[in-house]
Amino acid sequence: MTAFAALHVPGSPLLLPNVWEFGTAAFLAAQGFPALGTTSLGVSAAEGEPDGAPSSKDATVRLARRLTALDTLVSVDVAEGFSDDPGEVGALAAELAEAGVVGINLEDALGDPGRHAAKITAAKERAPGLFVNARTDTHWLGQPDIEAAIGRGKSYVDAGADGVFVPGLADPADVERLIAAVGVPVNLLFLPGRVTVAGLAGLGVARISLGSLPYRMALAATLRTVEAVRDGGELPLAPPSYDEVVRLLPENH
């Protein structure tokens, strides 16, 4: 079992913050978070590209290579693998593993489950030590069918997936059914107002991702800060100092 896989403990889940650029990742790593993931929305938005578009692949790989220099484990959101060709997805998995990435998040976007299973198999064949978190979008894309989620999840496990991710799933009974059925660590997305970390832990969830939430909260904090300065109000948060941020950058290590 890899160090990253060992962090996936049912009942004591890994809380995985998701980042979109080096500074944020370095700041979180300095706070002691043992693992970080990337968010495809944040990475794509930073490049001015659609979420998960093939055009954001190069930016994703560049960021991954920078993040692996940090004192934390790094998992990378590769959307649908930036390709429909399982061979190309396998090659990407190998490239990321060679760079020091320990896991990938690979989503099906409710496409053909057989094709997605082939992508998972290709990734594991090319990078056996990589933790492949197989995401199914049954509940994210408006088709909240737990049987479909279980069926897809089991087929992805059979293809070699190390974990199953069902963003949007929150119903406790359905969470328990999924965990019992797939037999691998289950990852859920933190949904503000719908789930809690303690509640998901009690159900046996092994990983809780923040997804694009930190990126979207950063946008909100930026706006609040600008508005506070404009209106003569109090800053919404106490920021780290300039020197604290500078010390996080590579040339200062």
Side-chain angles (χ1 to χ4, degrees):
M1 179 181 292
T2 66
F4 185 59
L7 294 174
H8 295 68
V9 180
S12 183
L14 167 66
L15 180 66
L16 190 71
N18 296 86
V19 300
W20 61 97
E21 51 89 38
F22 181 88
T24 307
F27 186 67
L28 289 171
Q31 313 311 309
F33 286 94
L36 301 174
T38 64
T39 164
S40 67
L41 176 61
V43 174
S44 297
E47 292 291 308
E49 301 288 349
D51 183 18
S55 54
S56 65
K57 174 184 174 181
D58 289 346
T60 299
V61 173
R62 285 196 306 273
L63 177 61
R65 289 186 178 278
R66 290 171 181 155
L67 297 187
T68 55
L70 296 169
D71 186 20
T72 188
L73 300 173
V74 176
S75 180
V76 174
D77 187 352
V78 296
E80 298 170 61
F82 305 114
S83 174
D84 284 331
D85 180 352
E88 292 183 2
V89 175
L92 174 60
E95 180 180 5
L96 291 171
E98 184 275 333
V101 169
V102 298
I104 59 171
N105 195 61
L106 188 60
E107 67 188 67
D108 66 8
L110 288 188
D112 174 27
R115 174 56 61 93
H116 196 63
K119 292 181 182 182
I120 292 166
T121 297
K124 290 299 291 186
E125 287 178 347
R126 293 293 305 275
L130 203 63
F131 189 103
V132 176
N133 198 39
R135 167 175 161 171
T136 182
D137 288 307
T138 53
H139 289 66
W140 191 245
L141 296 180
Q143 299 183 28
D145 181 343
I146 189 58
E147 292 301 330
I150 289 172
R152 283 176 177 261
K154 290 174 70 173
S155 71
Y156 301 156
V157 172
D158 289 344
D162 301 285
V164 169
F165 181 25
V166 187
L169 177 61
D171 179 77
D174 286 347
V175 172
E176 290 181 326
R177 288 180 63 194
L178 176 71
I179 290 170
V182 297
V184 296
V186 166
N187 179 192
L188 294 184
L189 185 68
F190 180 75
L191 303 169
R194 294 183 60 193
V195 301
T196 65
V197 170
L200 294 179
L203 296 173
V205 171
R207 171 165 150 187
I208 301 170
S209 296
L210 296 186
S212 66
L213 179 62
Y215 174 72
R216 293 182 287 112
M217 288 298 294
L219 297 181
T222 298
L223 177 59
R224 288 283 304 278
T225 299
V226 173
E227 290 176 335
V229 172
R230 180 194 65 193
D231 300 336
E234 296 291 329
L235 293 178
L237 296 167
S241 71
Y242 175 90
D243 287 340
E244 286 174 321
V245 175
V246 167
R247 286 195 293 271
L248 296 172
L249 302 181
E251 60 268 27
N252 296 291
H253 287 285

